[in-house]
Amino acid sequence: MCMTKKDIVLGGEPLPRLILLCGPCRTGTTALSNVFVRAGIESHMQPIKSMRRARSGGEVVVPWKIVNNSSGVIFSKETLGESDPSEFFDPVSDLLDVGYPQDKIEVVLILRDPRQTLTSWKRMWPAAQVQKLREAFLLTDDIWRSCLSLEVRHSVMVHEAIRDNPPETVATRLFHRLELIDSTGHISDWREAPRFGDQDPRNSHLKFYDSPPETFIDGVRNRGGYKYEDLPVPEQDATECQGYPELFTLYESFRRECEHDLDITIKPLV
């Protein structure tokens, strides 16, 4: 299921620099996305995944029209999984295939403790399977390796970065690496900001391409800031993950790379 120029419409030159956040769903992508939203950056929520799922389900496909803006920068989030084949894809490849300039794409790849990720999946989808989680982790790693091979600029994150470091430090260092400026002063403190997803003029730069269930965004909407919240992991979920050691190997690679990219320290999983 390839994207075409009817799906991703490039609205003339110059195109904006595109910051693309990518990782398995339920790995902290929504919380990190709201950092970009609160910084005043035009932000698009899962345009490619929404199109793929719509086409798979025989529904109306909403194209993603990409045009420049006064800042010259836009942000987009894409997540991988949880179960349908349409939800496993390479958004970087999709963008390159429709002619998006490689030098205008910058990718942020993210993983989370696989045990917490699986538990979060099962909270949303009780039938979620660890094999599909493995597929999403491996695909994220493949995208990382593709970025290395194609020399696409990228940064690596793990959600636990904000467990072991002040979230403000993590957000600021990521923005510095991406050469972005917070125009609001509220990238990590959201108490005075409109809630994520609210119909509020101050959210006019936040674009959705489907209607996510409230359960998907409630945690971020009510969090009040970019911060870590530990998710208790049932023994069964931990045991299932232990059956796929590559989950932890991949996470460890991302953890070390995140330490390097942001010059921080993150504790290994135990």
Side-chain angles (χ1 to χ4, degrees):
M1 186 190 300
C2 296
M3 293 292 101
T4 70
K5 292 185 178 181
K6 291 182 179 180
D7 298 317
I8 305 175
V9 181
L10 306 183
E13 294 289 345
L15 288 165
R17 185 163 71 101
L18 171 57
I19 309 297
L20 175 66
L21 172 62
C22 179
C25 53
R26 314 304 300 171
T27 53
T29 55
T30 302
L32 184 52
S33 293
N34 203 36
V35 170
F36 291 85
V37 176
R38 297 281 58 89
I41 298 168
E42 181 184 320
S43 300
H44 301 257
M45 298 295 105
Q46 302 190 161
I48 298 176
K49 185 174 184 177
S50 297
M51 285 187 281
R52 287 178 168 275
R53 288 195 296 202
R55 183 165 285 121
S56 175
E59 301 171 358
V60 175
V61 174
V62 178
W64 182 20
K65 185 173 182 179
I66 304 176
V67 297
N68 212 342
N69 57 34
S70 59
S71 71
V73 179
I74 66 172
F75 167 82
S76 182
K77 177 188 89 162
E78 295 289 350
T79 62
L80 312 175
E82 157 268 341
S83 59
D84 191 274
S86 66
E87 299 168 333
F88 294 85
F89 61 101
D90 180 344
V92 179
S93 177
D94 284 343
L95 286 161
L96 293 175
D97 284 348
V98 300
Y100 212 89
Q102 174 182 320
D103 62 353
K104 290 207 168 184
I105 300 173
E106 188 148 3
V107 185
V108 179
L109 297 139
I110 186 169
L111 289 183
R112 179 186 185 183
D113 180 337
R115 297 163 297 188
Q116 296 227 344
T117 309
L118 181 61
T119 295
S120 186
W121 276 30
K122 288 186 175 182
R123 282 191 174 188
M124 295 295 165
W125 311 283
Q129 299 179 350
V130 68
Q131 295 91 338
K132 289 295 183 180
L133 179 69
R134 173 183 177 273
E135 185 178 343
F137 268 56
L138 287 169
L139 180 52
T140 305
D141 185 58
D142 286 345
I143 296 169
W144 180 18
R145 293 178 185 279
S146 178
C147 287
L148 287 168
S149 175
L150 296 172
E151 298 184 347
V152 173
R153 291 191 301 271
H154 61 279
S155 302
V156 172
M157 277 280 294
V158 294
H159 187 53
E160 288 71 22
I162 61 171
R163 177 197 64 193
D164 299 339
N165 300 271
E168 176 76 23
T169 298
V170 174
T172 299
R173 291 191 182 183
L174 178 60
F175 267 45
H176 179 75
R177 181 175 171 85
L178 296 172
E179 299 179 345
L180 296 174
I181 298 174
D182 169 25
S183 62
T184 67
H186 294 293
I187 58 172
S188 59
D189 183 351
W190 306 334
R191 289 172 295 180
E192 303 301 322
R195 298 194 308 168
F196 182 80
D198 275 6
Q199 295 296 318
D200 186 299
R202 293 173 295 169
N203 276 340
S204 62
H205 58 295
L206 171 59
K207 318 290 184 182
F208 287 92
Y209 291 79
D210 57 16
S211 299
E214 287 296 315
T215 52
F216 278 65
I217 60 177
D218 266 353
V220 173
R221 282 166 54 86
N222 300 317
R223 191 164 297 177
Y226 187 43
K227 58 186 177 181
Y228 179 83
E229 293 185 356
D230 192 67
L231 186 61
V233 175
E235 183 176 350
Q236 179 181 344
D237 294 351
T239 300
E240 288 182 13
C241 286
Q242 292 295 340
Y244 293 89
E246 59 267 46
L247 290 170
F248 298 93
T249 301
L250 292 174
Y251 176 88
E252 176 62 16
S253 296
F254 272 60
R255 183 193 67 81
R256 291 196 302 265
E257 192 70 14
C258 181
E259 287 187 320
H260 173 269
D261 287 352
L262 302 187
D263 191 22
I264 57 178
T265 300
I266 307 163
K267 299 173 185 175
L269 298 182
V270 295

